[in-house]
Structure formats: C-alpha cells, structure tokens
Amino acid sequence: DTLWELAIAEVKKRENPDDDVKPGEVWEKSILFMGNKNGGKTTIILRCLEREESPKPTLALEYTFGRRARRPNTPKDVAHFWELGGGTSLVELIRIPITSHNIRSFAVVLVLDLSKPDELWTTMESLLQVTRNHVNKILTKLEKTNPEVAAEVKQRMWNDLQRDHPDYALVDPFPIPLVIIGTKYDIFHEFDSEMRKIISKTLRFVSHYYGASLVFTSKSEALLLKARALINHLAFGYDKSKSVSVDPSKPLFIPAGLDSMSQIGPPPASDSDLGKMRANTPLELWKKVFEKTFPPKSFCDLQDTKDPAQDIQYAEYEVDVMRAQKNQELEQYRRNASKCWKEMDFDSD
C-alpha cells in the first residue's frame, strides 16, 4: 500500500468507526508501553515483533508497528506500538497516542522493574493515574458525542470478570485493557524470600484490583514467550492463555480475571500494624504496607532526563555546528540584556 492509500483508509475508519472485524477486513489495535526507565520496554517490543535488533534508549515517545495475518492469503492485521520513555517525567505525552478515535482498540502495558522496589509503587501510581484521568476525559466527551462507543468501552472494562466472581463489587477495573509486566526477574529472584513475597502479593492485588493481567519476565526465552502471549492477545487477537502461576517462589503469570482476593490474602503486615494505618481504600492500605517495607526513593525524573542534543548517538555535524553558533548568540544576548537592565535608571516616583 502507498502512503496515500493508507491515509485514505485511516480517514474512512475514523469517519465510520467499526471495531467488529469482518472476514477479509484488517484488525487494527494500538498499545502503549510505559514504565520504569531502563526497565526493558524496548526489549519486550522487539521480541513481540520478532526483530533481531539491539535495544536503544527511548527518546520521549516512539512509534513502531507490526503486521500479521490470521490465516494464509488474508490481509495482515496491524498493531501500533507506542513507547513512552523517561519513566514518569514525560507522562503527559500519553495524550498523543490515546485519542477518542482509537479508544475502543487501545490497551496499555505497564513495565515495572522488579529489581527497584523503592521506585515501583511511585512509578506505577503516577503512570496509571495520569493515564486513567486522560481516558476518563475522553469517555466523558464521548458520552455526549458518541454514547454508544462510550458505553461499549465501559462495558469492556468488566469483560474479564464475570458477575458471579466473588470480588465483582471489590475491584475497580482500569478503563482500557491493562497488562502489568514485572521485568528483571533474574535479579528479583535473588532477593530475600520475604521481600519477594511482599512484592509479589502487592502486584497481584494491584493487578486484580485493576482487572489487569500480570506476568514476571526476564531475558529468559521461556519467560519472554509468556509476556509475548499476553501482548499478542491484545495486539492481534490471539487466544488468551488460561494457565496460571501464583507461586511466589516462581515467576507469576496471571491472566486478567483468574485471581481472587481470597487467594491473594490480606496485606503482608501484622494485625497491630494494620490497625495503626489509616486508609480510605484497600488500594491505599496496600500502598502503606508496601512503602513501609520499601520506602519510596526520593528522586526527580525531570532532573535525570538527559538532553537528547548532548547524546552522541544523535550527533549530526552540520546541525551541531549551527546549534553551537546559536548557543553563543543566545549567551551574547543574555549578557547584553543583563547589562541593559543594570544601566536603566528607574524613576522612584
């Protein structure tokens, strides 16, 4: 297809949104990957797309896509992969990929670095909260302009949890499909068993509370295949896995809707400690218990974000020379402006 043909097809799709894929039509989905900096998002995307490339640092918001045919001699389905870099510092960029036009076919993959538990809750809370707020704003607008679509999206939130599930009234599903991936399991596996138990139980609760799937992975091919299976379900409509692994001594693998509060158990703290903690929701209680064991790291992502202009991998001689010249001109302007202000005689009246 030419770029023009693709553009025409996209316009027609936006004018006549129809997510019901009929025989011969193309399945088109979008997925946003976000999470810890250097958490392994790019590696997961490359493996899902079966690309033998070395991962590079993600700059702001990056895009790629994959195409697969469901059956021989049929049009290839398309999956749009967006990746948010910078940890939580650039979270406002999620407004670019998540729009009212693709909200029906959008999903989120939250990648958390298991080797950094002191950053885990802060990263998770910040990214999910901003994403949820943005999606809810889209749904509020759609309720006025296209109530059928808004109702459909809200109904899908509950697709993975049957009405007869004992926790149906206790959870608060994320407004769009969500997968939580815990990476660097090889490092996490070396943690003290009690630490692993707390992290595992907490992520199980959060995933179940949000109606999300949960999987732990590493560079191991077998573990990457499990994460890939969950993503392929979102991206290309592959069959959803029904296998479950909840043993804290092994990598977790829990598709959405297959866990329960009774199996997860209470927050890992003594009754006396739980009694002293003030919380308005179960999620807030779990947060307090988790952060008592793993106090959140005090850091600022914005300060840690590197200036891409100084990164040697983006070096371009002519551009860099011009930039250096403009920097000198700017510095000269600053000096002249400062001198001008100092010499001005302000009337005290």
Side-chain angles (χ1 to χ4, degrees):
D1 293 343
T2 66
L3 183 60
W4 184 246
E5 289 171 334
L6 291 172
I8 293 175
E10 178 63 17
V11 170
K12 288 182 178 179
K13 180 183 177 184
R14 292 190 177 191
E15 291 178 346
N16 303 287
D18 184 4
D19 201 47
D20 296 323
V21 182
K22 299 179 178 64
E25 290 185 341
V26 173
W27 169 297
E28 193 167 350
K29 298 290 184 178
S30 299
I31 301 178
L32 172 63
F33 289 76
M34 57 186 185
N36 292 98
K37 287 187 292 186
N38 303 315
K41 299 183 291 295
T42 305
T43 299
I44 294 172
I45 292 174
L46 291 175
R47 293 312 307 268
C48 286
L49 298 177
E50 299 179 357
R51 295 180 184 172
E52 298 296 331
E53 303 175 20
S54 298
K56 297 179 181 179
T58 302
L59 178 65
L61 183 67
E62 296 192 2
Y63 168 82
T64 188
F65 69 94
R67 303 181 71 181
R68 298 215 182 130
R70 278 168 281 168
R71 294 178 297 276
N73 303 319
T74 60
K76 289 185 176 181
D77 297 327
V78 180
H80 305 279
F81 289 81
W82 296 87
E83 182 182 357
L84 180 68
T88 60
S89 64
L90 303 172
V91 68
E92 294 300 327
L93 291 179
I94 65 166
R95 298 175 183 177
I96 296 174
I98 308 178
T99 69
S100 58
H101 298 297
N102 63 16
I103 193 69
R104 298 168 72 188
S105 58
F106 211 97
V108 169
V109 174
L110 177 63
V111 180
L112 300 175
D113 188 339
L114 296 175
S115 70
K116 299 177 180 178
D118 55 352
E119 298 179 18
L120 193 149
W121 193 283
T122 302
T123 299
M124 175 177 65
E125 183 178 54
S126 176
L127 292 173
L128 291 183
Q129 184 175 18
V130 173
T131 304
R132 184 167 207 159
N133 289 343
H134 176 62
V135 171
N136 285 338
K137 287 181 181 179
I138 291 177
L139 293 178
T140 299
K141 291 181 180 179
L142 283 175
E143 286 176 344
K144 300 176 181 179
T145 60
N146 199 334
E148 294 82 6
V149 172
E152 180 185 328
V153 173
K154 290 185 176 181
Q155 179 57 42
R156 286 183 178 179
M157 294 165 51
W158 298 93
N159 281 356
D160 291 316
L161 201 67
Q162 302 300 320
R163 284 189 173 275
D164 59 354
H165 193 288
D167 302 331
Y168 191 85
L170 303 176
V171 298
D172 186 17
F174 206 68
I176 53 179
L178 172 65
V179 171
I180 298 178
I181 300 180
T183 59
K184 302 185 182 179
Y185 178 79
D186 50 336
I187 300 176
F188 170 78
H189 188 61
E190 300 300 321
F191 285 5
D192 174 77
S193 61
E194 193 60 30
M195 292 174 61
R196 294 201 311 269
K197 181 180 178 181
I198 294 173
I199 296 172
S200 296
K201 286 191 66 172
T202 300
L203 288 180
R204 280 183 64 184
F205 171 81
V206 171
S207 298
H208 185 57
Y209 185 77
Y210 284 134
S213 297
L214 175 65
V215 59
F216 285 0
T217 187
S218 67
K219 293 181 179 180
S220 163
E221 186 65 25
L223 294 183
L224 281 171
L225 283 174
K226 288 191 173 185
R228 182 178 165 187
L230 290 176
I231 296 171
N232 280 337
H233 170 69
L234 298 177
F236 299 106
Y238 287 17
D239 291 340
K240 183 180 177 181
S241 175
K242 295 296 184 181
S243 65
V244 177
S245 176
V246 297
D247 187 343
S249 65
K250 299 179 181 178
L252 297 182
F253 182 80
I254 313 172
L258 300 184
D259 210 343
S260 68
M261 298 293 189
S262 60
Q263 291 179 341
I264 297 170
S270 65
D271 292 341
S272 59
D273 286 340
L274 289 175
K276 297 176 184 177
M277 295 179 180
R278 295 183 178 180
N280 296 320
T281 65
L283 188 66
E284 187 177 343
L285 180 61
W286 277 82
K287 175 184 178 180
K288 290 181 178 295
V289 171
F290 184 83
E291 292 188 341
K292 182 178 180 181
T293 304
F294 305 104
K297 182 179 179 182
S298 177
F299 68 97
C300 178
D301 278 335
L302 288 172
Q303 294 179 348
D304 292 341
T305 303
K306 295 181 180 179
D307 182 358
Q310 307 300 324
D311 196 322
I312 58 174
Q313 71 171 320
Y314 303 114
E316 292 187 39
Y317 178 74
E318 294 181 356
V319 175
D320 293 341
V321 169
M322 180 61 68
R323 182 182 177 85
Q325 179 182 335
K326 293 298 182 183
N327 285 341
Q328 291 178 357
E329 294 175 1
L330 177 60
E331 185 59 33
Q332 184 62 43
Y333 172 79
R334 285 172 175 165
R335 286 198 294 267
N336 292 340
S338 177
K339 182 178 179 182
C340 179
W341 278 98
K342 289 179 181 178
E343 291 176 351
M344 291 181 69
D345 184 18
F346 291 94
D347 190 344
S348 60
D349 296 335

